[in-house]
Amino acid sequence: MTMVSAEPATMVAVDRLTFRYGPRSVPIFQDFSWQVREGEAWSIIGPSGCGKTTLLMLLAGLRRVTHGQITVGGTRIERPRPETGLILQDYGLLPWATVEDNVALGLRVRRFYGPDGKHAPRAEKVLGRREAREVVDSWLRRLNIEEQRAKFPGAISGGQRQRTAIARTLALQPDLLLMDEPFSSLDAPTREDLQNLILQLQREIKLTSIIVTHAIEEAAILGRQILVLGRPPTTAPVIVSNPEAGTPGYRSSQTFLERCNQLRTLLGLKA
């Protein structure tokens, strides 16, 4: 008998979303629907002002929809969800805290509040101090910033600061990782190194991830599915399938070049 594998569950469901910044402004999204399944890696790309970051903030619960609804992991999003991780372009690190303390911050917040459903998932066992230290130590090693643990953010490089932000987020074991142009301010070698790190983590822990980027090449490297946004209002998703993303040698392949040219065409740019 042939076994049929079950389709992954829906992680993100955007249902007839309308969002505008003011009652008289042009909607950024209007009656827009979109889905992301568990374990998928998505990139979002589009011109400035198209709503890339707005969509990410809506998914994170940091903005409220005007009409429609968003559900993540079966929960209707009306506020930030503790199982969702968010990595920002400016790192969001506490400048007066060491690398180690920054990585431990989320775990300390969860220990303070307990599993209240707001700061930590209700069903999750909150880690004690010793267990939390073990988690922090493992991520400092995993992201190769263990030697920086006693330093302050101002004393380390941009790449190390971003690694610290990634470690802080992943220490909380999110089931959805949202990233808002996290590598745009980094030099090319550091940016490529961190892109490879994200690809490796996607393979290892099968994390559902969505990255907003303005770089066509980065969208093609990190997204096995790519959502292309145009000028507002966006009413329907334009999706480019990119299943080869993350495979060995993809950056230098003809398929990668063709995918980048396809995105340029969709964005109205010359290939």
Side-chain angles (χ1 to χ4, degrees):
M1 185 171 106
T2 303
M3 298 294 292
V4 179
S5 59
E7 192 174 72
T10 299
M11 172 58 72
V12 175
V14 178
D15 183 24
R16 293 173 293 179
L17 164 70
T18 294
F19 177 84
R20 51 165 47 95
Y21 281 102
R24 297 183 180 179
S25 63
V26 174
I28 305 298
F29 298 95
Q30 186 167 340
D31 203 29
F32 173 77
S33 297
W34 173 54
Q35 287 193 350
V36 173
R37 297 197 177 275
E38 287 183 353
E40 289 184 335
W42 281 79
S43 297
I44 302 176
I45 193 168
S48 296
C50 70
K52 301 187 296 297
T53 294
T54 297
L55 181 56
L56 207 72
M57 295 301 105
L58 288 163
L59 298 179
L62 296 174
R63 291 196 179 277
R64 299 287 296 273
V65 303
T66 306
H67 298 291
Q69 70 174 26
I70 297 173
T71 58
V72 178
T75 300
R76 182 168 179 168
I77 297 303
E78 296 178 336
R79 67 180 312 282
R81 171 178 174 269
E83 299 91 346
T84 297
L86 177 63
I87 298 174
L88 302 171
Q89 180 180 350
D90 64 357
Y91 318 126
L93 302 179
L94 301 179
W96 58 84
T98 64
V99 166
E100 180 179 2
D101 287 340
N102 269 289
V103 174
L105 178 62
L107 295 172
R108 289 176 177 170
V109 170
R110 286 188 173 183
R111 188 166 64 247
F112 179 83
Y113 286 99
D116 60 357
K118 295 181 180 180
H119 305 89
R122 291 188 187 279
E124 183 176 284
K125 175 183 177 293
V126 175
L127 300 181
R129 285 184 172 84
R130 178 177 296 180
E131 294 169 306
R133 177 177 287 275
E134 290 173 355
V135 170
V136 170
D137 287 346
S138 68
W139 281 109
L140 289 172
R141 290 192 299 269
R142 177 67 185 80
L143 272 73
N144 197 29
I145 50 175
E146 189 174 21
E147 293 183 359
Q148 318 302 326
R149 66 188 308 150
K151 296 181 181 179
F152 294 94
I156 60 178
S157 70
Q160 291 167 337
R161 289 195 290 272
Q162 195 58 284
R163 285 175 179 269
T164 301
I166 293 170
R168 178 186 57 193
T169 300
L170 295 183
L172 299 175
Q173 296 184 302
D175 57 12
L176 173 65
L177 180 62
L178 306 176
M179 296 171 280
D180 186 20
E181 301 196 26
F183 313 134
S184 62
S185 62
L186 304 176
D187 60 82
T190 303
R191 184 166 60 246
E192 185 169 327
D193 183 47
L194 288 176
Q195 289 170 353
N196 289 335
L197 172 64
I198 292 297
L199 290 171
Q200 189 172 357
L201 292 171
Q202 287 171 346
R203 290 192 296 268
E204 288 180 4
I205 59 182
K206 301 191 186 318
L207 187 65
T208 308
S209 63
I210 303 173
I211 182 169
V212 162
T213 179
H214 65 272
I216 289 172
E217 290 77 11
E218 183 166 82
I221 286 293
L222 295 179
R224 288 191 288 275
Q225 299 281 355
I226 303 170
L227 175 64
V228 182
L229 299 180
R231 296 294 179 187
T234 295
T235 58
V238 175
I239 297 170
V240 174
S241 181
N242 187 37
E244 298 90 347
T247 57
Y250 183 54
R251 288 180 190 268
S252 57
S253 69
Q254 182 63 31
T255 302
F256 173 69
L257 295 176
E258 291 171 356
R259 191 73 70 241
C260 290
N261 286 336
Q262 180 184 6
L263 293 175
R264 288 188 177 93
T265 299
L266 288 171
L267 293 170
L269 303 174
K270 293 183 179 180

